[in-house]
PDB file of all heavy atoms in Angstrom:
ATOM      1  N   GLN A   1       7.697 -18.261  -0.676  1.00  0.00           N
ATOM      2  CA  GLN A   1       7.538 -17.108  -1.564  1.00  0.00           C
ATOM      3  C   GLN A   1       6.973 -17.557  -2.911  1.00  0.00           C
ATOM      4  O   GLN A   1       6.374 -16.780  -3.619  1.00  0.00           O
ATOM      5  CB  GLN A   1       8.872 -16.382  -1.734  1.00  0.00           C
ATOM      6  CG  GLN A   1       9.446 -15.860  -0.432  1.00  0.00           C
ATOM      7  CD  GLN A   1       8.504 -14.943   0.348  1.00  0.00           C
ATOM      8  OE1 GLN A   1       7.750 -14.164  -0.218  1.00  0.00           O
ATOM      9  NE2 GLN A   1       8.530 -15.062   1.661  1.00  0.00           N
ATOM     10  N   GLU A   2       7.185 -18.810  -3.256  1.00  0.00           N
ATOM     11  CA  GLU A   2       6.573 -19.387  -4.447  1.00  0.00           C
ATOM     12  C   GLU A   2       5.246 -19.985  -4.003  1.00  0.00           C
ATOM     13  O   GLU A   2       5.214 -20.914  -3.209  1.00  0.00           O
ATOM     14  CB  GLU A   2       7.469 -20.481  -5.037  1.00  0.00           C
ATOM     15  CG  GLU A   2       8.781 -19.969  -5.577  1.00  0.00           C
ATOM     16  CD  GLU A   2       8.592 -19.060  -6.781  1.00  0.00           C
ATOM     17  OE1 GLU A   2       7.697 -19.325  -7.609  1.00  0.00           O
ATOM     18  OE2 GLU A   2       9.337 -18.068  -6.889  1.00  0.00           O
ATOM     19  N   VAL A   3       4.156 -19.436  -4.477  1.00  0.00           N
ATOM     20  CA  VAL A   3       2.840 -19.890  -4.060  1.00  0.00           C
ATOM     21  C   VAL A   3       2.094 -20.483  -5.242  1.00  0.00           C
ATOM     22  O   VAL A   3       2.427 -20.205  -6.396  1.00  0.00           O
ATOM     23  CB  VAL A   3       2.026 -18.742  -3.417  1.00  0.00           C
ATOM     24  CG1 VAL A   3       2.724 -18.198  -2.184  1.00  0.00           C
ATOM     25  CG2 VAL A   3       1.752 -17.642  -4.417  1.00  0.00           C
ATOM     26  N   PRO A   4       1.058 -21.291  -4.971  1.00  0.00           N
ATOM     27  CA  PRO A   4       0.277 -21.852  -6.076  1.00  0.00           C
ATOM     28  C   PRO A   4      -0.370 -20.751  -6.922  1.00  0.00           C
ATOM     29  O   PRO A   4      -0.716 -19.683  -6.416  1.00  0.00           O
ATOM     30  CB  PRO A   4      -0.802 -22.677  -5.362  1.00  0.00           C
ATOM     31  CG  PRO A   4      -0.292 -22.897  -3.983  1.00  0.00           C
ATOM     32  CD  PRO A   4       0.604 -21.739  -3.667  1.00  0.00           C
ATOM     33  N   ALA A   5      -0.549 -21.027  -8.203  1.00  0.00           N
ATOM     34  CA  ALA A   5      -1.147 -20.048  -9.121  1.00  0.00           C
ATOM     35  C   ALA A   5      -2.525 -19.608  -8.636  1.00  0.00           C
ATOM     36  O   ALA A   5      -2.924 -18.462  -8.858  1.00  0.00           O
ATOM     37  CB  ALA A   5      -1.228 -20.638 -10.525  1.00  0.00           C
ATOM     38  N   ALA A   6      -3.258 -20.491  -7.945  1.00  0.00           N
ATOM     39  CA  ALA A   6      -4.598 -20.150  -7.449  1.00  0.00           C
ATOM     40  C   ALA A   6      -4.571 -18.982  -6.472  1.00  0.00           C
ATOM     41  O   ALA A   6      -5.580 -18.312  -6.276  1.00  0.00           O
ATOM     42  CB  ALA A   6      -5.238 -21.366  -6.781  1.00  0.00           C
ATOM     43  N   LEU A   7      -3.406 -18.719  -5.864  1.00  0.00           N
ATOM     44  CA  LEU A   7      -3.300 -17.600  -4.928  1.00  0.00           C
ATOM     45  C   LEU A   7      -2.955 -16.297  -5.628  1.00  0.00           C
ATOM     46  O   LEU A   7      -2.838 -15.264  -4.987  1.00  0.00           O
ATOM     47  CB  LEU A   7      -2.262 -17.904  -3.850  1.00  0.00           C
ATOM     48  CG  LEU A   7      -2.596 -19.057  -2.920  1.00  0.00           C
ATOM     49  CD1 LEU A   7      -1.547 -19.189  -1.842  1.00  0.00           C
ATOM     50  CD2 LEU A   7      -3.971 -18.915  -2.321  1.00  0.00           C
ATOM     51  N   GLY A   8      -2.808 -16.316  -6.927  1.00  0.00           N
ATOM     52  CA  GLY A   8      -2.484 -15.113  -7.694  1.00  0.00           C
ATOM     53  C   GLY A   8      -3.731 -14.370  -8.135  1.00  0.00           C
ATOM     54  O   GLY A   8      -3.831 -13.948  -9.276  1.00  0.00           O
ATOM     55  N   GLN A   9      -4.675 -14.213  -7.257  1.00  0.00           N
ATOM     56  CA  GLN A   9      -5.938 -13.554  -7.584  1.00  0.00           C
ATOM     57  C   GLN A   9      -5.900 -12.099  -7.122  1.00  0.00           C
ATOM     58  O   GLN A   9      -6.057 -11.807  -5.951  1.00  0.00           O
ATOM     59  CB  GLN A   9      -7.088 -14.310  -6.891  1.00  0.00           C
ATOM     60  CG  GLN A   9      -8.448 -13.795  -7.261  1.00  0.00           C
ATOM     61  CD  GLN A   9      -9.529 -14.751  -6.832  1.00  0.00           C
ATOM     62  OE1 GLN A   9      -9.587 -15.870  -7.318  1.00  0.00           O
ATOM     63  NE2 GLN A   9     -10.375 -14.325  -5.924  1.00  0.00           N
ATOM     64  N   TRP A  10      -5.663 -11.206  -8.055  1.00  0.00           N
ATOM     65  CA  TRP A  10      -5.585  -9.771  -7.777  1.00  0.00           C
ATOM     66  C   TRP A  10      -6.864  -9.108  -8.255  1.00  0.00           C
ATOM     67  O   TRP A  10      -7.316  -9.358  -9.378  1.00  0.00           O
ATOM     68  CB  TRP A  10      -4.371  -9.165  -8.471  1.00  0.00           C
ATOM     69  CG  TRP A  10      -3.092  -9.580  -7.834  1.00  0.00           C
ATOM     70  CD1 TRP A  10      -2.436 -10.775  -8.022  1.00  0.00           C
ATOM     71  CD2 TRP A  10      -2.335  -8.853  -6.870  1.00  0.00           C
ATOM     72  NE1 TRP A  10      -1.313 -10.820  -7.232  1.00  0.00           N
ATOM     73  CE2 TRP A  10      -1.217  -9.657  -6.514  1.00  0.00           C
ATOM     74  CE3 TRP A  10      -2.482  -7.609  -6.287  1.00  0.00           C
ATOM     75  CZ2 TRP A  10      -0.268  -9.246  -5.597  1.00  0.00           C
ATOM     76  CZ3 TRP A  10      -1.529  -7.189  -5.369  1.00  0.00           C
ATOM     77  CH2 TRP A  10      -0.442  -8.002  -5.033  1.00  0.00           C
ATOM     78  N   LEU A  11      -7.465  -8.261  -7.433  1.00  0.00           N
ATOM     79  CA  LEU A  11      -8.654  -7.525  -7.856  1.00  0.00           C
ATOM     80  C   LEU A  11      -8.292  -6.485  -8.895  1.00  0.00           C
ATOM     81  O   LEU A  11      -9.068  -6.171  -9.781  1.00  0.00           O
ATOM     82  CB  LEU A  11      -9.329  -6.853  -6.659  1.00  0.00           C
ATOM     83  CG  LEU A  11      -9.936  -7.826  -5.657  1.00  0.00           C
ATOM     84  CD1 LEU A  11     -10.584  -7.071  -4.524  1.00  0.00           C
ATOM     85  CD2 LEU A  11     -10.935  -8.749  -6.329  1.00  0.00           C
ATOM     86  N   GLN A  12      -7.101  -5.958  -8.766  1.00  0.00           N
ATOM     87  CA  GLN A  12      -6.559  -5.006  -9.722  1.00  0.00           C
ATOM     88  C   GLN A  12      -5.057  -5.240  -9.750  1.00  0.00           C
ATOM     89  O   GLN A  12      -4.434  -5.406  -8.706  1.00  0.00           O
ATOM     90  CB  GLN A  12      -6.873  -3.584  -9.270  1.00  0.00           C
ATOM     91  CG  GLN A  12      -6.398  -2.526 -10.207  1.00  0.00           C
ATOM     92  CD  GLN A  12      -6.789  -1.123  -9.717  1.00  0.00           C
ATOM     93  OE1 GLN A  12      -7.268  -0.950  -8.600  1.00  0.00           O
ATOM     94  NE2 GLN A  12      -6.564  -0.151 -10.551  1.00  0.00           N
ATOM     95  N   GLU A  13      -4.486  -5.300 -10.941  1.00  0.00           N
ATOM     96  CA  GLU A  13      -3.052  -5.536 -11.047  1.00  0.00           C
ATOM     97  C   GLU A  13      -2.293  -4.431 -10.304  1.00  0.00           C
ATOM     98  O   GLU A  13      -2.656  -3.258 -10.385  1.00  0.00           O
ATOM     99  CB  GLU A  13      -2.606  -5.584 -12.503  1.00  0.00           C
ATOM    100  CG  GLU A  13      -3.025  -6.852 -13.215  1.00  0.00           C
ATOM    101  CD  GLU A  13      -2.401  -8.105 -12.618  1.00  0.00           C
ATOM    102  OE1 GLU A  13      -1.212  -8.084 -12.227  1.00  0.00           O
ATOM    103  OE2 GLU A  13      -3.111  -9.127 -12.545  1.00  0.00           O
ATOM    104  N   PRO A  14      -1.244  -4.803  -9.565  1.00  0.00           N
ATOM    105  CA  PRO A  14      -0.466  -3.793  -8.833  1.00  0.00           C
ATOM    106  C   PRO A  14       0.284  -2.867  -9.785  1.00  0.00           C
ATOM    107  O   PRO A  14       0.552  -3.210 -10.932  1.00  0.00           O
ATOM    108  CB  PRO A  14       0.502  -4.619  -7.988  1.00  0.00           C
ATOM    109  CG  PRO A  14       0.516  -5.973  -8.585  1.00  0.00           C
ATOM    110  CD  PRO A  14      -0.753  -6.155  -9.339  1.00  0.00           C
ATOM    111  N   LEU A  15       0.616  -1.706  -9.275  1.00  0.00           N
ATOM    112  CA  LEU A  15       1.370  -0.703 -10.014  1.00  0.00           C
ATOM    113  C   LEU A  15       2.670  -1.303 -10.536  1.00  0.00           C
ATOM    114  O   LEU A  15       3.400  -1.952  -9.782  1.00  0.00           O
ATOM    115  CB  LEU A  15       1.677   0.477  -9.086  1.00  0.00           C
ATOM    116  CG  LEU A  15       2.494   1.620  -9.634  1.00  0.00           C
ATOM    117  CD1 LEU A  15       1.679   2.378 -10.690  1.00  0.00           C
ATOM    118  CD2 LEU A  15       2.876   2.565  -8.510  1.00  0.00           C
ATOM    119  N   ARG A  16       2.968  -1.113 -11.803  1.00  0.00           N
ATOM    120  CA  ARG A  16       4.233  -1.601 -12.376  1.00  0.00           C
ATOM    121  C   ARG A  16       5.327  -0.636 -11.972  1.00  0.00           C
ATOM    122  O   ARG A  16       5.308   0.528 -12.352  1.00  0.00           O
ATOM    123  CB  ARG A  16       4.112  -1.706 -13.882  1.00  0.00           C
ATOM    124  CG  ARG A  16       3.094  -2.754 -14.308  1.00  0.00           C
ATOM    125  CD  ARG A  16       2.969  -2.810 -15.785  1.00  0.00           C
ATOM    126  NE  ARG A  16       4.203  -3.378 -16.313  1.00  0.00           N
ATOM    127  CZ  ARG A  16       4.442  -3.553 -17.588  1.00  0.00           C
ATOM    128  NH1 ARG A  16       3.576  -3.197 -18.483  1.00  0.00           N
ATOM    129  NH2 ARG A  16       5.592  -4.079 -17.991  1.00  0.00           N
ATOM    130  N   SER A  17       6.271  -1.144 -11.190  1.00  0.00           N
ATOM    131  CA  SER A  17       7.336  -0.289 -10.673  1.00  0.00           C
ATOM    132  C   SER A  17       8.518  -1.131 -10.229  1.00  0.00           C
ATOM    133  O   SER A  17       8.373  -2.302  -9.918  1.00  0.00           O
ATOM    134  CB  SER A  17       6.791   0.507  -9.483  1.00  0.00           C
ATOM    135  OG  SER A  17       7.832   1.208  -8.847  1.00  0.00           O
ATOM    136  N   CYS A  18       9.681  -0.491 -10.182  1.00  0.00           N
ATOM    137  CA  CYS A  18      10.883  -1.102  -9.606  1.00  0.00           C
ATOM    138  C   CYS A  18      11.530  -0.160  -8.604  1.00  0.00           C
ATOM    139  O   CYS A  18      12.643  -0.407  -8.153  1.00  0.00           O
ATOM    140  CB  CYS A  18      11.894  -1.441 -10.705  1.00  0.00           C
ATOM    141  SG  CYS A  18      11.348  -2.672 -11.885  1.00  0.00           S
ATOM    142  N   VAL A  19      10.864   0.932  -8.265  1.00  0.00           N
ATOM    143  CA  VAL A  19      11.487   1.940  -7.412  1.00  0.00           C
ATOM    144  C   VAL A  19      10.626   2.353  -6.218  1.00  0.00           C
ATOM    145  O   VAL A  19      11.043   3.186  -5.424  1.00  0.00           O
ATOM    146  CB  VAL A  19      11.856   3.197  -8.229  1.00  0.00           C
ATOM    147  CG1 VAL A  19      12.904   2.874  -9.284  1.00  0.00           C
ATOM    148  CG2 VAL A  19      10.631   3.819  -8.864  1.00  0.00           C
ATOM    149  N   THR A  20       9.436   1.766  -6.069  1.00  0.00           N
ATOM    150  CA  THR A  20       8.528   2.180  -5.007  1.00  0.00           C
ATOM    151  C   THR A  20       8.147   0.993  -4.140  1.00  0.00           C
ATOM    152  O   THR A  20       7.695  -0.033  -4.666  1.00  0.00           O
ATOM    153  CB  THR A  20       7.234   2.785  -5.611  1.00  0.00           C
ATOM    154  OG1 THR A  20       7.595   3.837  -6.503  1.00  0.00           O
ATOM    155  CG2 THR A  20       6.332   3.325  -4.533  1.00  0.00           C
ATOM    156  N   ALA A  21       8.312   1.114  -2.837  1.00  0.00           N
ATOM    157  CA  ALA A  21       7.845   0.072  -1.914  1.00  0.00           C
ATOM    158  C   ALA A  21       6.324   0.113  -1.890  1.00  0.00           C
ATOM    159  O   ALA A  21       5.724   1.191  -1.876  1.00  0.00           O
ATOM    160  CB  ALA A  21       8.406   0.307  -0.516  1.00  0.00           C
ATOM    161  N   ARG A  22       5.693  -1.051  -1.912  1.00  0.00           N
ATOM    162  CA  ARG A  22       4.238  -1.139  -1.926  1.00  0.00           C
ATOM    163  C   ARG A  22       3.780  -2.248  -0.985  1.00  0.00           C
ATOM    164  O   ARG A  22       4.493  -3.224  -0.773  1.00  0.00           O
ATOM    165  CB  ARG A  22       3.721  -1.438  -3.335  1.00  0.00           C
ATOM    166  CG  ARG A  22       4.153  -0.456  -4.400  1.00  0.00           C
ATOM    167  CD  ARG A  22       3.582   0.914  -4.243  1.00  0.00           C
ATOM    168  NE  ARG A  22       2.157   0.871  -4.513  1.00  0.00           N
ATOM    169  CZ  ARG A  22       1.361   1.916  -4.441  1.00  0.00           C
ATOM    170  NH1 ARG A  22       1.844   3.086  -4.090  1.00  0.00           N
ATOM    171  NH2 ARG A  22       0.092   1.817  -4.713  1.00  0.00           N
ATOM    172  N   CYS A  23       2.581  -2.104  -0.462  1.00  0.00           N
ATOM    173  CA  CYS A  23       1.972  -3.098   0.417  1.00  0.00           C
ATOM    174  C   CYS A  23       0.674  -3.565  -0.229  1.00  0.00           C
ATOM    175  O   CYS A  23       0.066  -2.835  -0.999  1.00  0.00           O
ATOM    176  CB  CYS A  23       1.645  -2.485   1.773  1.00  0.00           C
ATOM    177  SG  CYS A  23       3.050  -1.698   2.562  1.00  0.00           S
ATOM    178  N   ALA A  24       0.252  -4.767   0.115  1.00  0.00           N
ATOM    179  CA  ALA A  24      -1.011  -5.286  -0.400  1.00  0.00           C
ATOM    180  C   ALA A  24      -1.770  -5.958   0.737  1.00  0.00           C
ATOM    181  O   ALA A  24      -1.175  -6.445   1.695  1.00  0.00           O
ATOM    182  CB  ALA A  24      -0.767  -6.273  -1.538  1.00  0.00           C
ATOM    183  N   GLY A  25      -3.070  -5.957   0.605  1.00  0.00           N
ATOM    184  CA  GLY A  25      -3.930  -6.571   1.609  1.00  0.00           C
ATOM    185  C   GLY A  25      -4.885  -7.558   0.976  1.00  0.00           C
ATOM    186  O   GLY A  25      -4.963  -7.678  -0.247  1.00  0.00           O
ATOM    187  N   LEU A  26      -5.616  -8.254   1.819  1.00  0.00           N
ATOM    188  CA  LEU A  26      -6.632  -9.209   1.389  1.00  0.00           C
ATOM    189  C   LEU A  26      -7.960  -8.466   1.357  1.00  0.00           C
ATOM    190  O   LEU A  26      -8.442  -8.001   2.393  1.00  0.00           O
ATOM    191  CB  LEU A  26      -6.691 -10.388   2.367  1.00  0.00           C
ATOM    192  CG  LEU A  26      -7.758 -11.428   2.105  1.00  0.00           C
ATOM    193  CD1 LEU A  26      -7.564 -12.077   0.739  1.00  0.00           C
ATOM    194  CD2 LEU A  26      -7.733 -12.484   3.200  1.00  0.00           C
TER     195      LEU A  26
END
């Protein structure tokens, strides 16, 4: 679950939330 910083490449920052389940893709 701890990945290298190089893998933290987001095209757009994810929605800031603590109450909604979200999925992400490549």
Side-chain angles (χ1 to χ4, degrees):
Q1 300 305 324
E2 294 294 323
V3 299
L7 295 184
Q9 185 166 296
W10 289 80
L11 293 180
Q12 182 178 9
E13 287 297 321
L15 178 69
R16 295 178 70 181
S17 172
C18 296
V19 296
T20 305
R22 304 293 291 179
C23 306
L26 176 61

